[in-house]
Every structure is written in C-alpha cells, then in structure tokens.
Amino acid sequence: KMPSSYRTVYAFAREMHPKTVKRDIQYGTAGFRDKASNLGYVMYRMGLLSVLRARYKKGIIGVMITASHNPEGDNGVKLIDPHGEMMEQSWEEWATKFANVQDDELEAIINEIVDKFNIPMTDRSVIYIGKDTRPSSPSLAKSLMDGILALSGKPVDFGIVTTPQLHYIVACRNSHEEYGTATEEGYYKKLVTAFKKLRGENCENGNYVNRLFYDGANGVGAKKIKFFQERLKDCMNIELYNDAGIGTGKLNYLCGADYVKTNQAYPTGLPIDPNVRCASVDGDADRIVYYFNDENGKFHLFDGDRIATLIASYLKEWVEKSGVDLNLGLVQTAYANGASTEYIKKQLSVPVACVSTGVKHLHHKALEFDIGIYFEANGHGTVVFSKNAKDKLRSVAKDPETGEKQKYAVEKLLAFIDVINETVGDAIADLLAVETILCDRGWDLKDWENSYTDLPNKLMKVTVKDRNVISTSDAERKCVTPVGLQDEIDKLVSKYQKARSFVRSSGTEDIVRVYAEAATQEQVNKLTAEVARAVYNLAGGIGEAPIVP
Ligand code: G16
C-alpha cells in the first residue's frame, strides 16, 4: 500500500507531466538529452530524484537545464552532487529507471529507493536550479519544480547561469562557503581577485598582447563574459562576438567550441583579423578552445590537449620552484592527439592516464593526484588540487622560515587554485588560467604552438539505426561489438603512418563518432572516411553512406 504522502506524485504526473514518449531514454555522457519537447516528464521526474538524492546526501543538489553544445531545439539535464561534482555514477541507473517507468509506477519506485537507501523523507531538502539560454528552459524548469514540490522539496532558481557557475554555487553552499560565496557575484569576485593577483602589474609581456576575440556561441557564455569585461577592463581587452538574443535559433549555430573543434575552422560572426587570439565557448560555457588564422589564412587550433599541456607545464614549473613535494598527473581520453600524449610523457615527464569520454570519468581519475589536470580534446576540463596539496601549500605560505622566492611560488599556486573552477570544466575560468600563463611566459599563440605539432586528425559522425550496437573496451579504444568491426579498423589503420582510429557511440547525440589521426591530412581524411564507411556497413548505417575521398 502506498503511503498517502506520495499521492501528489502520481496526480501531478498524470495531470501535468504525463510520460509522452514510449521509447526509453538513457542517462548519457552528461545526463539526459533530447528534443526539448520530449523532456517535460523527464524533468518532472528528475525533480523527484533530486529531492531523494538531497535527502540521502544531506546536502543541496544542483540541477542544470541545458543541452550544452547541442542545437537550440534540444535540451537536457545535468545533476550536480553536493561537492559540486557531477552526480555519482551509481545513481545514473536510478535516474534512467525514474525517467522510463510508467506514470503510475512512480510511487513504487520512490518507495523502492527510499527503502534501499533508508532515505529520511521528512528531512528538508533544497535543490538549486540553473538554466542556459534555450527558449525551452523556463518551461522545463517549471516541470522540474513541480517534481521537487511533489516531494516537499524546496526549489531555488538561480535563473540563467553557466553550468560551471551552478556547480560552483552548489559547492560553496555545501562547504558552508569555504569554497567561496554561494552567489553569482561571489563567483565573479573569486575569479577576478585571483586573476588580478596572478597578473600583478603585468598586462602585456613579451609577445603577449591582452587583446582577445571571444565567441560566446550566442549563449549564456556571451551573457556572462560581460561581467568579466567590466571588471577586467584595465588589464584585458576581451571583444565579445556571437551574443545573439534568446530564441533566435543561433545558439551554437556555425559557432561555439564544438563547431570550431569539430570542423577545425573559424566560426561565423568573428572578424577574421590575422594573428589575433580567439576563443570559443560552448552553449553552457563549460568548454573552451583557442585558435587564430595566420597571415596566410591558415587556421590554427588550440584544443583541450593544448590547454592541458600548457597548464601542466606551468604548474610543474611552479611546484618545482615552490619546493613543495606534490605529485602531478594528467588525464585524457582516446580523443587526445597522440602528439600531445607523447609530449606530456617525454618532455614534461608527467604521468598520463586515459579514461572513457565524459568529464565524470576524468574528474574521478584526476582526484588520485595531488594536482590532477584533466581535459578532453573538445576543451572540457579543469585542475583539481587534493586537500593534502592545499594544506601543504598554505602551511608553507604561512611559515616565517619560508624564503621570499619560495613564498612567491607558493602564493602563485594558491592564487591559481582560486582562478580555476575545481568543481568542473569551466570555459571562463580556463580562459583566465590560459591568459595568465601566456602573459607570464610572454607568449603569443605561435610560441604556444611551438611546444609540439599535432598529428592531423579528424572527427566524423555516422548515423545508424541503433547506436547501442556499438560497444567498446579499453577506455573506448577498442570496439567489441559489432563483431568484426575492430578487425576492419585495424586493417585500415595499418595502411597509414602514425595512424590511430576508434569509434564509439555518442552519449549526447543519436550518432556514432569516428576519430582518426595519421601522418598527413590526406591520409587522415581517407582513413576517417574508410572507418566511417565500415561503421555504416557493419553497424546498420542509415541515410547516405560516407564517401571515401
Ligand atoms: C558532454 C560531456 C563531455 C563529452 C561531450 C561529448 O559535453 O560533458 O564530457 O565529451 O558531452 O560526449 P559524447 O561524445 O558522448 O556525445 P557537453 O559540453 O555537451 O555537456
């Protein structure tokens, strides 16, 4: 028999948020994603789940309504745990279950989870909500709030914020503001103060000039950079482009970090000024890539691998100067350019780990180091510092015995901890970190590019009937099913020099991704198309078959 207290749950579902989609939806790489019109009931159910999670964890849970890099018509939801990290993976199964049961099964599944985890259902619970600029977000937020209210939780709406801002605010609130002040204003203050400290008097240095073109992807990243433009106007000249109004359909369209990385091309909407440093963020501002066009019109990309290596070399240098014994590690995925991995291992002598796609996997692995740097090639990443690292640095900073040079290095590292958003990849925090390092070194992008040469690489998408037929192992580097596909990939790869290729199904779009790299652009163009064709043939491709050049 159902406790009467959950009766509202079914009534709300039936009357306001009935399950409208028959097929199952899966909690993917970063939560649920779909056409916005399919998500009302999913949001309602995530409202229910977030209250249960909040009571179980005895802390505030965050819910971000966004589909990040996807087109404007899509939307989605990312759940945030109390420390500001993505929701623990063991609960993803529950999320998927919640999303897919029938309306009249909701009460039963609530009872099941309450029993299993012994959740105190009378405890108060607060859920923080954020949304990107998608026109569908306000109505989805309403559905989410109904779910929260149905279980007597308290929704607090932070309006339009970047995904990393919401992660930050959740982390602050649950740490009793040890991490920072739990408001948007607190976020600006923390990052700006740290950035100015790192910059000192130096606004320009050597080849570094402080002029930057910023592509806001016509999303929340454009809205929020304005707060930094204002506060940093004496030391940074950030020129904002792609700041179209909400609902114009331009979000991520021919611009933004995903477009630039995937197409390896300049986005629309920015003036093409040779040799000017440019940065693009994505639709919820948790990814960033840098690039420029040289005087011959050639495009140069600085993706997540580049940013990771820049940060790793900088931190390594200052840790050495600080004399504090801290271990440093870097985490990548299979998409990392082989040349970057080689450079990290051989030149930087920093250990590298490879994990499956999804910031949640990288973050987790990075926590194993005192200083864990993680980046996906698509520009999603950050640095995490262990408690041990912070404690050691703080105590050396305070110690009167510490020499001046050493103190300077330690203070620098402490300020760097504050400029980076440790909770999750944050395009704007990463931008401030990159600008700090380039200025410190007196580098322009050509200097940065000199550290290593990327192998030519390419990404392709293949549409198949059911992307779940693809399964992988070895951090997605080997394809297990469909049987025979990996043999085919191996055969194709062996025809080229320095070649590598893998395939995996996307967890945010209904497609299969194909990645390849090889010694020359011509080789990689061929190889990617051949592998894409093999996927099309062996994994049930639909639509037009990929054409091999
Ligand atoms: C999300 C995840 C990233 C992942 C990306 C693509 O990014 O947070 O970790 O790399 O999706 O994933 P997939 O290849 O599975 O589609 P975002 O920026 O879209 O939230």
Side-chain angles (χ1 to χ4, degrees):
K1 194 139 188 320
M2 299 298 162
S4 55
S5 56
Y6 305 154
R7 252 179 222 149
T8 341
V9 168
Y10 177 43
F12 274 25
R14 193 185 54 215
E15 304 304 332
M16 297 190 289
H17 310 290
K19 186 171 189 291
T20 46
V21 180
K22 280 219 185 89
R23 70 177 154 79
D24 278 3
I25 180 169
Q26 259 169 357
Y27 197 97
T29 313
F32 294 106
R33 294 237 176 129
D34 211 313
K35 295 265 161 286
S37 53
N38 289 339
L39 288 171
Y41 71 95
V42 177
M43 290 294 167
Y44 173 68
R45 290 155 181 234
M46 289 309 105
L48 302 173
L49 186 76
S50 60
V51 171
L52 296 163
R53 180 91 185 142
R55 289 196 177 124
Y56 174 59
K57 296 297 286 184
K58 300 197 182 311
I60 290 165
I61 295 291
V63 183
M64 182 69 196
I65 300 173
T66 179
S68 194
H69 76 273
N70 294 43
E72 187 163 310
D74 286 6
N75 215 325
V77 57
K78 297 179 175 177
L79 297 171
I80 305 168
D81 261 355
H83 293 298
E85 72 282 34
M86 293 192 177
M87 184 180 71
E88 192 184 305
Q89 275 176 64
S90 65
W91 271 55
E92 291 183 3
E93 263 172 62
W94 285 101
T96 301
K97 260 195 195 172
F98 259 81
N100 295 320
V101 295
Q102 298 307 313
D103 293 326
D104 60 5
E105 290 167 341
L106 281 170
E107 287 167 279
I109 189 175
I110 292 173
N111 277 315
E112 191 185 334
I113 198 169
V114 166
D115 281 351
K116 182 166 163 85
F117 294 98
N118 211 353
I119 297 174
M121 286 306 281
T122 49
D123 280 10
R124 62 182 238 117
S125 60
V126 178
I127 310 301
Y128 282 3
I129 301 169
K131 38 183 135 47
D132 67 14
T133 56
R134 287 178 161 77
S136 56
S137 291
S139 106
L140 292 174
K142 167 78 175 61
S143 310
L144 175 72
M145 285 187 208
D146 282 343
I148 296 168
L149 294 170
L151 284 181
S152 308
K154 183 182 169 206
V156 179
D157 189 353
F158 284 83
I160 295 177
V161 287
T162 68
T163 295
Q165 282 181 328
L166 189 66
H167 281 258
Y168 164 88
I169 291 170
V170 168
C172 289
R173 194 72 193 86
N174 285 310
S175 71
H176 305 287
E177 307 223 318
E178 196 194 308
Y179 191 66
T181 308
T183 58
E184 212 183 307
E185 188 54 38
Y187 169 88
Y188 298 127
K189 214 169 181 180
K190 179 172 177 179
L191 267 60
V192 165
T193 308
F195 181 71
K196 287 194 166 169
K197 197 163 174 191
L198 284 162
R199 272 263 154 132
E201 296 302 307
N202 295 342
C203 285
E204 300 208 317
N205 177 27
N207 292 335
Y208 176 84
V209 290
N210 65 17
R211 181 168 185 231
L212 173 77
F213 287 178
Y214 176 97
D215 161 20
N218 297 311
V220 61
K223 310 268 166 276
K224 302 304 179 185
I225 197 69
K226 293 175 189 167
F227 294 90
F228 289 94
Q229 278 178 310
E230 179 55 31
R231 287 164 173 81
L232 296 177
K233 59 175 181 273
D234 50 342
C235 57
M236 279 293 302
N237 175 9
I238 305 173
E239 291 181 28
L240 167 62
Y241 299 95
N242 292 331
D243 176 26
I246 294 177
T248 46
K250 291 186 174 172
L251 177 65
N252 297 324
Y253 184 63
L254 304 180
C255 63
D258 197 65
Y259 173 85
V260 172
K261 165 71 183 164
T262 311
N263 296 287
Q264 304 189 24
Y266 216 78
T268 185
L270 268 70
I272 304 185
D273 249 353
N275 299 323
V276 173
R277 195 163 68 251
C278 307
S280 284
V281 305
D282 71 340
D284 63 343
D286 59 4
R287 298 195 210 167
I288 187 165
V289 295
Y290 273 79
Y291 49 93
F292 73 99
N293 258 20
D294 66 21
E295 52 283 356
N296 304 316
K298 188 170 178 265
F299 177 80
H300 300 249
L301 178 68
F302 299 75
D303 60 6
D305 305 337
R306 286 272 174 195
I307 298 174
T309 54
L310 182 76
I311 293 178
S313 65
Y314 176 83
L315 290 177
K316 187 165 189 243
E317 179 188 333
W318 287 101
V319 166
E320 275 164 14
K321 285 183 181 159
S322 78
V324 182
D325 180 24
L326 298 173
N327 71 57
L328 218 96
L330 207 149
V331 188
Q332 301 185 313
T333 70
Y335 291 108
N337 197 284
S340 76
T341 315
E342 195 61 17
Y343 171 78
I344 298 158
K345 281 193 205 152
K346 300 223 168 109
Q347 301 289 314
L348 300 180
S349 315
V350 168
V352 193
C354 179
V355 300
S356 296
T357 300
V359 168
K360 56 195 181 194
H361 299 118
L362 290 101
H363 190 94
H364 203 71
K365 187 75 191 169
L367 292 174
E368 291 175 13
F369 303 96
D370 283 325
I371 302 179
I373 301 144
Y374 70 84
F375 267 89
E376 292 183 298
N378 62 24
H380 203 159
T382 188
V383 186
V384 285
F385 297 82
S386 68
K387 185 170 178 312
N388 173 48
K390 287 178 189 166
D391 289 348
K392 270 190 183 165
L393 290 169
R394 283 180 193 139
S395 86
V396 176
K398 264 194 248 148
D399 188 346
E401 302 284 293
T402 303
E404 212 156 292
K405 271 194 184 153
Q406 194 189 359
K407 196 170 158 87
Y408 181 74
V410 171
E411 295 286 357
K412 224 179 201 350
L413 290 167
L414 286 170
F416 192 88
I417 296 177
D418 282 344
V419 94
I420 209 89
N421 184 343
E422 286 184 88
T423 64
V424 77
D426 181 332
I428 297 178
D430 292 344
L431 177 147
L432 297 178
V434 168
E435 295 297 320
T436 296
I437 301 171
L438 293 178
C439 181
D440 223 49
R441 299 215 159 137
W443 278 8
D444 61 12
L445 292 188
K446 287 183 180 164
D447 298 317
W448 184 6
E449 198 170 37
N450 280 338
S451 46
Y452 64 87
T453 308
D454 268 324
L455 284 168
N457 60 92
K458 201 174 163 95
L459 278 163
M460 268 180 85
K461 298 179 188 184
V462 184
T463 309
V464 296
K465 223 184 307 148
D466 173 13
R467 66 186 149 133
N468 289 320
V469 301
I470 304 255
S471 65
T472 61
S473 66
D474 190 20
E476 303 177 325
R477 289 172 290 193
K478 287 268 169 298
C479 179
V480 180
T481 60
V483 175
L485 181 53
Q486 186 59 48
D487 291 342
E488 191 57 32
I489 296 173
D490 291 342
K491 237 191 276 162
L492 295 168
V493 164
S494 70
K495 297 196 302 186
Y496 303 100
Q497 284 81 52
K498 293 192 179 174
R500 185 169 72 88
S501 178
F502 69 92
V503 303
R504 57 176 281 277
S505 57
S506 161
T508 60
E509 299 171 57
D510 196 9
I511 43 114
V512 175
R513 295 196 199 280
V514 174
Y515 174 87
E517 58 187 38
T520 67
Q521 196 60 51
E522 202 190 343
Q523 289 188 24
V524 84
N525 288 348
K526 273 209 173 119
L527 174 59
T528 321
E530 285 168 352
V531 174
R533 161 91 53 161
V535 170
Y536 185 91
N537 290 337
L538 296 173
I542 50 177
E544 255 172 64
I547 297 160
V548 178

